[in-house]
Amino acid sequence: MVTGIALSLLLFIALFIFYWIDFAFLTRYDRERKQGQGWAWDYTLLTLAAAALVVVQPWLWPRLGFSTRAGWGLGIQVLGLACLILSFSLHIWARRHLQKFYAERVEIQPDHQVVQSGPYALMRHPLITSFFLLAGGLFLLNPALTTLLGLFYTIYDFTRAARQEEDLLSRNLPGYTEYMKRVPRFIPTLPRGRK
């Protein structure tokens, strides 16, 4: 397994790429919003602090993590990298379709509409799924107490946010209730064969 400073560097690169993608989309589409910004300082500072803790942990507090010299340990880390790449890809795909309707808080914009293209045709919350993949990938890359807590927090917080968003949108956005009936929340279902 990759450990120590090398693992910290790998985690830094992965998180830098994810935040860079997020920032690029916020910068591009926030100008098109009719109301406010898509990002929130409190959320940004919380995630940056958590990211810093995840990055320095393998280097400064390696005992909080698990490592093995067995080949399967490296295999788990490779699986973690695959989850991260899938997370980046899904995040980009979803943000390209959501555009100005993205926000780090639950809200409705004046010109809001149901986005049903791209990954939104397969699942209602592909961005949240990308965060689940990010947190899971970080845990597999660095199986440690810090990344395990991050994974649990991500699942808890984003599942709660999805429920809040669905409640708000189903009450205020025409067509969202029908969309919820057709499209699964986080994991796409496989198409069924015709009879």
Side-chain angles (χ1 to χ4, degrees):
M1 289 183 86
V2 178
T3 59
I5 293 175
L7 181 55
S8 287
L9 182 61
L10 194 57
L11 291 165
F12 174 79
I13 291 168
L15 287 165
F16 179 82
I17 290 169
F18 195 84
Y19 281 106
W20 181 81
I21 291 167
D22 215 41
F23 181 75
F25 277 104
L26 282 170
T27 303
R28 179 175 179 187
Y29 292 116
D30 261 12
R31 288 176 261 154
E32 298 174 16
R33 293 170 57 88
K34 296 201 189 270
Q35 174 182 313
Q37 298 175 321
W39 57 274
W41 274 111
D42 55 348
Y43 175 76
T44 301
L45 292 175
L46 174 69
T47 59
L48 287 174
L53 184 61
V54 164
V55 167
V56 300
Q57 177 270 313
W59 175 37
L60 297 178
W61 306 293
R63 291 181 183 230
L64 292 177
F66 169 81
S67 67
T68 180
R69 293 180 188 258
W72 59 266
L74 186 58
I76 287 174
Q77 288 183 313
V78 169
L79 182 61
L81 284 173
C83 286
L84 292 174
I85 292 168
L86 186 58
S87 170
F88 301 158
S89 302
L90 181 58
H91 199 80
I92 291 168
W93 190 27
R95 290 296 292 273
R96 290 184 72 141
H97 286 269
L98 193 57
Q99 298 181 2
K100 66 181 179 178
F101 298 118
Y102 171 79
E104 291 178 343
R105 62 196 150 295
V106 177
E107 69 176 27
I108 293 183
Q109 294 183 52
D111 59 343
H112 214 110
Q113 59 188 348
V114 180
V115 176
Q116 300 181 58
S117 59
Y120 291 91
L122 305 172
M123 60 190 118
R124 295 191 305 266
H125 302 284
L127 280 173
I128 291 176
T129 300
S130 78
F131 282 108
F132 291 163
L133 286 166
L134 175 71
L138 291 172
F139 175 69
L140 292 173
L141 190 59
N142 178 31
L145 183 59
T146 51
T147 53
L148 180 62
L149 291 173
L151 177 61
F152 285 153
Y153 176 77
T154 300
I155 292 169
Y156 163 75
D157 189 50
F158 281 98
T159 300
R160 180 190 55 77
R163 281 194 300 265
Q164 287 178 343
E165 182 178 57
E166 288 172 350
D167 182 52
L168 179 68
L169 294 178
S170 63
R171 285 186 285 115
N172 297 293
L173 192 60
Y176 194 79
T177 303
E178 292 78 25
Y179 173 68
M180 284 177 54
K181 292 175 186 173
R182 284 192 335 269
V183 179
R185 183 179 275 168
F186 300 126
I187 301 170
T189 56
L190 296 173
R192 296 181 181 161
R194 294 183 183 165
K195 291 185 177 186

